Amino acid sequence: MKKITLGVLFLMGVQFTNAQSLHISGDLKNIDDNTVISLIDGMGNKVVDSIKINGGKFALTTTVASPSIYVISIAGVQQKIPVFVGNDNLTVIGDFKEMNSIEYKGSVTQDLYQTYMKTLTPKIENLFKSKSVDSLAKQAEMQEADILATFSKLLNENNASPVSTLFLLQLINFIPAIKENIADYYAILQGDAKKGPFAAIIDKTLQTVGVGKIGSVLPEFKQNDATGKLISLSSFRGKYVLVDFWASWCGPCRAENPNVVATYNAFKDKGFTVLGVSLDNDKTKWLDAIKKDGLTWSHVSDLKYWNNAVAVQFGIQSIPASYLLDPNGVVIGKDLRGADLKAMLAKYIK
């Protein structure tokens, strides 16, 4: 995937368990004893429970306000296990070195999450491969149509599950037909599918439809930099500016940073600059990434992760995301990457 999206890329009338807490018990092979295993809230990016594994067995517990995405993380291991759960009694069994062998029992939301993942993920991966090659553009168009048809079927069959809401939120970012008709797709959902964090984000998205359109003036915002100084977007008027939403923990963002640095260095003396808006929640990691990647422009953040006030204001659901503004604050480009950003600036800056 080329972007990091909310959480992780992940029944008609779903009935949730009556459990008062989430209990995840597991038996995973190929993990050393005393290795720390943690449960991370995928929306808040915070550890909610952790324990040392003994004989491959572990038990994690927390209380879930509404079904959502969580991540089981093993210390020292990059690969994670995403689960979509409520206050369930979930068992996780298998070989950690063979992710496809892992079985989940005890959660209807996790069952449906697995169905969505197994059905849509291969199609989405193939779509991105096709989009990366110009000669496959027609094929990509057909693949988008296939994803849309597959998702529409799943959505209609499972329109009361918050799992459907999560995938609707994900697909907004790279299926134009869904993004352009988000209100119609959201109207299909009912009951529990319109509750919880993902529904709340879509509600906000519907309120921000039209914000940041090409040819419009990007709304004013203010946020503090790392020293506590309040920085306003309007203070950059008179320059071309890239408003760049990113985070230290976002792999695709870090991979794109060298391209932004190269563009900045090419045009910084010709009236161009960058304003980085970080979705970090750890100040030290944020500043370390700025230094390591050589991002020598202005940066702001309120360290509220996906709840960053500016990101919420603009309905940002995936990063990297960006707006290229002219000296009057008018949006002249969106989500431009690599050579595309340089080419767009070259049209305006001689």
Side-chain angles (χ1 to χ4, degrees), residues 221-232:
F221 65 82
K222 298 179 181 180
Q223 201 159 87
N224 289 336
D225 66 10
T227 68
K229 179 182 177 181
L230 191 64
I231 305 294
S232 66

Side-chain angles (χ1 to χ4, degrees), residues 25 214-215 243 247 321 326 348:
S25 58
I214 301 294
V243 180
D326 74 5
Y348 293 90

Side-chain angles (χ1 to χ4, degrees), residues 35-36 73-80:
T35 299
V36 175
S73 175
I74 310 294
V77 179
Q78 186 173 5
Q79 197 166 22
K80 314 297 181 185

Side-chain angles (χ1 to χ4, degrees), residues 21-34:
S21 299
L22 167 63
H23 301 278
I24 300 178
S25 58
D27 188 352
L28 295 176
K29 297 178 181 178
N30 287 315
I31 301 180
D32 295 335
D33 283 353
N34 295 316

Side-chain angles (χ1 to χ4, degrees), residues 2-6 245-247 249-250 252-253 277 279 306 316-321 337:
K2 299 297 179 67
K3 296 169 81 74
I4 294 294
T5 55
L6 284 173
F245 291 86
W246 74 294
W249 46 260
C250 168
C253 302
V277 182
L279 275 64
W306 285 105
I316 300 297
Q317 296 129 25
S318 65
I319 53 175
R337 304 280 177 260

Side-chain angles (χ1 to χ4, degrees), residues 126-145:
N126 287 333
L127 171 65
F128 276 97
K129 289 177 184 177
S130 297
K131 281 189 171 182
S132 66
V133 181
D134 290 341
S135 61
L136 297 179
K138 185 65 177 179
Q139 181 178 329
E141 186 178 324
M142 293 172 62
Q143 289 171 333
E144 281 190 7

Side-chain angles (χ1 to χ4, degrees), residues 87-101:
N87 289 320
D88 301 322
N89 294 307
L90 179 70
T91 58
V92 181
I93 301 171
D95 188 333
F96 189 70
K97 290 186 177 180
E98 297 181 17
M99 294 295 286
N100 291 334
S101 75

